[in-house]
Every structure is written in structure tokens, then in C-alpha cells.
Amino acid sequence: MKTVTIDVKQVTRVEGHGNIAVKVEDGRITKLELQIVESPRFFEAFLRGRRWYEAPHVTCRVCGICSVGHTTASVKAIEAATGIQVSEQTRMLRRLILDAEHLQSHVLHLYFLAVPDFLGVGSVIPLASTHPDVVRRALRMKKLANDLCAAVGGRHIHPIAEHVGGFTHLPSQDELIDLKRRLEASRDDLKLTAELYATLDLPDFQRPTEYIALRCCGNGEYALYDGRIVSTLQPEPTEASEYRRRLIESVVKHSASKHVRSPHSEAYMVGALARFNVNANRLHPAARDLARRLGMAPVCGNPFHNNSAQLVECVHVTEDAIELIDALLTRGVAVEPLVRPERFGRGVGAAEVPRGLLIHEYELDDKGLITAANLIIPTGQNLANIEADMRAMMPSMLAADMSREQMTHRLEMLVRAYDPCISCATHFLDIEWQ
Amino acid sequence: MYPAGDLRHVARIIGCGRWSMGNDQAGLLVARRLHERGLPDAVIDLSEQPAIDLAAESHAEAELLIVVDTARADDVHPIGTFVRFDYREGPRLLDAVQRLDSHSLGVAAGLELAERLGMLPPQVWIYVLFCGAFERRLTLDAALDECVAAVAAAIERDLVAWRARRRN
């Protein structure tokens, strides 16, 4: 019987710092942990006492990759807490910048973090020598997504124009026309990306789990900005404000991030694959067609296909962004005053951000000061599922007599497939009071 | 940003940094000052995403690329001083400056990618301004005001010499 110790100190090519610790003794797994070792962030604590309108600009600093997502969830939560109804133009611009962040983040993950695994190099740097066209394409797509974020949000990351109640900066007509032209041109890059991905040899691993995502009711949108919480095990929708009925947080010793389970499963998955499994029929036809060509059909139980789902979403958000820009150009973009609060109370905001379902919840006192905050981060929701996947993968790897290095690499690839953003997820500190 | 044809026989200058990160904006301020001076034969950009701007578009059509950025001061390089070096001389910048960041690509990674992709011109000069803390604020330390002016003047002077050498 085999005895193996795997001890990866800081998995590379993920956002933040996490370790993999596995111990197999006489063929039996005695330890298996994805340890989140990054320092706690305390965002929920230092939001207390801040004014209602500060929350989005504080929480967008949780992360440089997910800053639009945090801003979006935050403005929605504050608006729910204050009775603000935003205009259709604001809603369209928020959808557009969220599309841009999905593109920005997915391109970064697919090309810079995941692809090196499949092309046998350590990072994007040597890839520039071995596959220069691939890297040029990646940089071109990343720049486009960054520029789209800047046009709508006022900056490439950490948007300064997106506020509670509306926008304080609007993209010009010329900017929108130019971005639309570049988005249309990027279809060629997406096509080449799809051709590249079709050649990659994804590990054949299946472990169906519960997939949780937002789903829009009525309007048929592929839910990113709006929607209610559904899952593959419980399709009956739950309002985001009732999220505690669906998402149950708990503390584990080896992680500075909380784990989350559902009433139906000890572990579940959020993110691109979960959205695909829940909402595939709502994707843009071009994205649905790509999914079919990549051999994906819901419910897809291979977590490595999260990469494929991200690529499918790149096509979707590109087409969605083109349609949104068309609609904005048709109706015209006009300066609108920020909508002001009508009351102060409790509010929850939910959005699908690149790594999955993100929830912000705030309590405001009668002066509009934040008295309590809770942030449920996608990567935190995925941690238990990643560990469950690792546990399920180990027996087959041991049976196949894989070397320790091969097993280590496969486990790292699995973690990377989830595109974890560990810096976002770490906001818990277990203090042992003496 | 600029059609390739516009870059022929010119120097391209990229000031790097973040406006919201206090002293990190020094490279941007140098570029802005040079832009206001209206240098001949120079295309000037300010970049808050320097890695992408350096590597996503070719600068190979230009004859010279000048990158202006900041670094933390130390005993050898006190606050308010600056250095200029040739990118291709000395140790590999990516090794000397930083490891790959888990959240973004920095200037060193952008230059490395651009070099490997054949997007850098024959000459690449790096100007580094040495600063104290990089913290979230909109202003620059007073000690750096003079350094920004000095770097802009040095670049202008160096460009004059470069043009003279090119003519000969």
C-alpha cells in the first residue's frame, strides 16, 4: 500500500496564497487540506461605522481582479437597504462593465494561469517564446477588456464612476463606437482561443456536485447582474435577500477563509461551470455553439471544464457587450443625477462575478452608517468542493501509480481550474482568547 | 494607441504608475511634464496598466523606448534620487526587481513579455525615481517634486544627445 506526502507551499498561478497538504498512509488518505494561509482582511469589520455611500469604494479594494464585482454587489446591497431604484441606463452600464470584468478576468485566467499547464511551461513568460501568437492574442484581449472597464468605470480596475444610485462618468459616443468595433474584431481572437482550447487535453474526471448560481426570472438573461439563487439540486428560486437559507458559512481550522455548504450538500460549486450548468439555455447562441463544440452539456461534472465554461462565457459577454453598446448608442447616453436614499435599513446585493456568486449584506442605522456587514465570496464557497474533488481524485491517481510529482501537478491544476481568488476569500480570523 | 507608422524614427516614452497610490504617480508626472513640453520626435503615453501597454502593442517601429517608473528607496538610492539604465544591460530586470505577482503583471514582466515577443525597439532606457512609501493618496511627497522635474529634464537632455548621435 502506498504512502505519499504532498506539501505544496503556495500554489502558483492563482490569486493569493494557498497550500495543498495531503497525506496518504498505507493507501488511506489521513490528511487532505487546501489551506488558506493568507492574512485575514477585516473588511467586514472596518466597514462598521462607515457611511452608506462609502461601502462600494471600500469593498472594491477587496481585490484588483474582482473590483467591479465587489462594487456591483455593494451598490446593489446599499440600494436595497435604502430603497433606491436605479434607471435603465444605469442598469445597462452596470451590465456592460460586469461583462468587461468577466472578459478581463477569464482571459487572465485562461491564458496566463491555466494554459501554461496544458502547454507544458511554468508561466506566461516562457510561453511568449514558445507560443508568441497565443500571448499576443491574450494581451490584445486583456487590453480590450481593460479599456472597456476604463470607459465605463473611469479606471481599468477599482471603478470610480460606479456609485450608489448611478454613474458619475459616462462613456462618450465615440468611445462606445470604438469599443464596439474592437469587440467585433475580437471575435476572431475568441475563435482562435476556442481552436486552441479544443486541442487541450483536459483531465477526465467526473464528480457531480451541487451547482449554485443566480437565475433571472422572466427576462431570459444569462444571469450575471440580476437573478435569484437556484441550484441544480434545488431549482426553486430563493431571493438574494434570503441567501442564508441557501448558503451556510462555517469555520474550519486550516483556512483563513470560511467554508460554505448548502442545506442539500456539504460542498457545492459556484463560478462559470455552475452558471453554465444552471443557465446554459440562456447563453448567447454563439456561446452555446462553442459549448457544444467543446463537448459540454449541462450538467457537466468535470471541474476542469470550468476553464471551458469561462471561454464559453467570454463569447457570451463579448456578444452581450456588443448588444448593450448598440442599445446604448440607439437610446443615447445622458447625464442622470444619482438617485438618493429614501430610507436606511438592511440590504442584500448579489451578482455573478467571474468566480461565482458574490453576496454583500449591510445593516444601516437611521443615520445611514453601516452597523454590520457580511460578504460571501465565491472562492470561499468553492473551497469545500475543491477539497471534495481532491479527495475523489486521489484513489484513481494512486491506482494509476502516478508519481508524487504527477499527483502534485494534477492537484495544482485542479485548484487552478477553479480560478480561486484567495485574497478575496480571506476575511476570517479565529482568535483563541486566553 | 498610435498607428505603427507614427512611431517610425521616434522615441516612445511611457510614464508608469497609479494616480491613486501617492508617490507611485511620479512616473506619470514625468511623462505629463514631457508631454507639456511638446518634445519633437517623441510619442508620450501615461499608463496605469504598464505591463499590458508595454506588451500588447509593438514598440519595435520606434527607435527608442523610454520607461519611467518608481521604486522604493534604500540606503544606496535615497528618496528623491533617480537612475537611468539600459534595459538590456546588467541583470535581468524580472529577476532583479520582483517575482511574478499573483494579481497583476508589473513593468518588469511587461518588458520581459515584450522582449520575447519581439516588440521592443533597439534601445530601451529605464528611468527609476526612488520614493518613500507607496500609499493610497492622491498627492506626491514634496521631496519628489524636484526629482520629477530633474528626471524630465534629464530625459529631455538625453534625447537631444540621442538625436544628435542618430544624425551622425
Side-chain angles (χ1 to χ4, degrees), chain A residues 21-171:
Chain A
V22 178
K23 196 163 197 174
V24 179
E25 293 172 291
D26 295 331
R28 197 170 60 85
I29 300 170
T30 55
K31 180 180 184 179
L32 190 150
E33 293 173 351
L34 176 57
Q35 301 167 340
I36 303 305
V37 294
E38 196 159 315
S39 303
R41 308 287 303 284
F42 302 119
F43 271 83
E44 289 146 322
F46 62 67
L47 277 167
R48 284 185 220 135
R50 309 302 303 194
R51 294 175 182 85
W52 57 274
Y53 53 80
E54 294 178 302
H57 305 293
V58 172
T59 56
C60 93
R61 299 287 175 171
V62 168
C63 181
I65 306 284
C66 322
S67 57
V68 170
H70 279 288
T71 302
T72 303
S74 185
V75 292
K76 288 180 70 181
I78 294 290
E79 285 161 3
T82 55
I84 288 174
Q85 300 284 333
V86 295
S87 70
E88 180 58 17
Q89 175 178 290
T90 292
R91 189 176 176 281
M92 291 168 77
L93 288 169
R94 286 183 184 170
R95 282 181 56 201
L96 182 57
I97 194 171
L98 200 52
D99 279 346
E101 184 179 70
H102 277 263
L103 189 60
Q104 197 179 40
S105 179
H106 286 350
V107 166
L108 176 76
H109 180 247
L110 290 169
Y111 275 104
F112 292 73
L113 307 181
V115 153
D117 274 330
F118 298 100
L119 298 182
V121 292
S123 78
V124 72
I125 299 289
L127 201 63
S129 300
T130 57
H131 298 75
D133 290 343
V134 170
V135 176
R136 279 195 196 99
R137 190 187 315 138
L139 290 164
R140 201 162 46 233
M141 294 167 75
K142 181 82 169 72
K143 185 168 170 58
L144 167 60
N146 286 4
D147 290 347
L148 186 51
C149 279
V152 180
R155 263 208 302 237
H156 297 112
I157 57 167
H158 300 137
I160 48 173
E162 189 175 356
H163 292 266
V164 175
F167 280 80
T168 53
H169 158 90
L170 298 171

Side-chain angles (χ1 to χ4, degrees), chain A residues 227-377:
Chain A
R228 293 188 283 178
I229 302 167
V230 301
S231 86
T232 46
L233 295 185
Q234 174 50 279
E236 195 63 33
T238 301
E239 294 293 341
S241 58
E242 301 293 317
Y243 74 90
R244 287 173 197 268
R245 287 175 45 209
R246 304 290 291 249
L247 317 178
I248 302 158
E249 292 185 285
S250 64
V251 170
V252 294
K253 267 190 177 300
H254 59 273
S255 170
S257 167
K258 288 176 187 169
H259 279 203
V260 192
R261 64 179 174 84
S262 87
H264 313 285
S265 317
E266 284 302 309
Y268 64 86
M269 183 173 184
V270 295
L273 186 61
R275 287 190 289 266
F276 174 81
N277 281 336
V278 167
N279 288 315
N281 62 340
R282 306 277 180 93
L283 283 163
H284 187 278
R288 275 207 304 269
D289 183 54
L290 173 59
R292 187 184 50 74
R293 283 186 281 124
L294 292 173
M296 293 180 69
V299 173
C300 171
N302 182 347
F304 291 96
H305 265 305
N306 193 49
N307 293 333
S308 316
Q310 288 180 323
L311 177 55
V312 167
E313 286 194 334
C314 284
V315 173
H316 175 82
V317 297
T318 298
E319 297 299 334
D320 192 55
I322 291 169
E323 289 174 9
L324 280 167
I325 291 174
D326 268 338
L328 285 163
L329 288 169
T330 302
R331 75 202 305 274
V333 180
V335 175
E336 297 174 333
L338 295 180
V339 185
R340 306 291 298 174
E342 293 179 351
R343 57 180 162 76
F344 296 117
R346 171 185 175 268
V348 174
E352 284 289 342
V353 302
R355 289 157 189 81
L357 174 62
L358 172 65
I359 290 174
H360 283 212
E361 178 187 17
Y362 307 121
E363 294 267 356
L364 306 177
D365 68 13
D366 58 2
K367 294 184 179 64
L369 298 179
I370 296 169
T371 56
N374 193 28
L375 278 56
I376 310 275
I377 308 296

